[in-house]
Amino acid sequence: MKTISENRCYGGTQGVYSHASDSCNCEMTFGVFMPEEAAHGPVPVLWFLSGLTCTHENAMTKAGAQAWAAEQGIALIFPDTSPRGADVPDDDAYDLGQGAGFYIDATTAPWDKHFKMWTYVAEELPALVGENFALDMDRQSICGHSMGGHGALTMALALPGRFRSVSAFAPICNPLNSEWGRKQFTAYWGADESQWGPHDASVLMQGEGFDGPILIDTGTDDQFTALLGTPALAQAMAEKSQQGTIRLQKGYDHSYFFIATFMEDHVAFHAEALYA
């Protein structure tokens, strides 16, 4: 693991690091915020998965999460959204290829050599940060935005016992029925839908649900409302009697201004679960 930068931040340290990833077959970069309490022992962990076109840096610099995480004594981890590099395949469209890993493992060429973001975020990166930082990996929660909200919800639902709570800002809730999902699944898994994985929060919710609280915020002026599928997840949660809250925030859009506005709520929500 290489240290790219480390800066004093709200009494703790905001670092950026890189490493050679076995799952993604390239160099991967990620951010970690460690609160002041980490100097005295392991601290709980909150993952933040970013959306389309983003890197590790967007949420790290725009979401304002460090102030609230420092207040709660929680570490933040900001993974990248896809593999990157000159040898990594890409597409001219913003919503496919680099910056659009969709938190799944590709099985079709040319994507299958590098695009293993499920394995990377669910297995490889947790092992790496657990070995190198003072983190209490028995106390983890997860959050995400848009495509990252899709990743946060599906990981929470598909990895029972891993996360104590999950939240999302404007998540893609029903990718099997959205252009933000069907396009990427077709590219990464092939046209045969029988080979597609169950990486859809609305579908996964119909199974065992999530053994913990869920918080979702979506703006009423979100310019991508038709692509998110929020009603499908709301219906699935209601039918499952899932503990959770979906809030429609009047006048807010899909931007980081929206995320920064409600980040305090989300960190406090996770802190309650992490310290229970």
Side-chain angles (χ1 to χ4, degrees), residues 37-161:
E37 289 83 351
H40 308 291
V43 295
V45 183
L46 176 59
W47 295 79
F48 190 100
L49 307 186
S50 291
L52 289 166
T53 75
C54 292
T55 69
H56 68 282
E57 189 173 20
N58 295 74
M60 188 180 79
T61 59
K62 296 179 180 180
Q66 292 91 338
W68 311 118
E71 187 174 280
Q72 300 286 355
I74 294 172
L76 299 169
I77 303 177
F78 304 98
D80 203 346
T81 57
S82 78
R84 298 181 190 274
D87 296 331
V88 176
D90 201 5
D91 190 272
D92 290 337
Y94 77 94
D95 57 356
L96 189 67
Q98 295 188 35
F102 246 77
Y103 303 100
I104 63 175
D105 284 354
T107 57
T108 62
W111 312 103
D112 55 340
K113 183 179 178 181
H114 298 280
F115 281 72
K116 304 290 186 181
M117 287 303 294
W118 180 274
T119 298
Y120 179 70
V121 175
E123 299 178 15
E124 184 177 8
L125 189 55
L128 181 71
V129 296
E131 292 173 359
N132 288 277
F133 299 92
L135 301 174
D136 182 351
M137 302 303 282
D138 290 327
R139 290 188 292 164
Q140 298 185 66
S141 291
I142 192 166
C143 178
H145 170 229
S146 193
M147 178 186 73
H150 145 77
L153 289 168
T154 54
M155 287 193 176
L157 288 161
L159 300 172

Side-chain angles (χ1 to χ4, degrees), residues 8-51:
R8 187 74 167 162
C9 182
Y10 292 102
T13 301
Q14 175 61 63
V16 178
Y17 310 92
S18 69
H19 70 111
S21 168
D22 292 331
S23 52
C24 292
N25 197 26
C26 65
E27 193 79 4
M28 295 292 287
T29 303
F30 62 95
V32 177
F33 169 73
M34 295 298 291
E36 189 173 12
E37 289 83 351
H40 308 291
V43 295
V45 183
L46 176 59
W47 295 79
F48 190 100
L49 307 186
S50 291

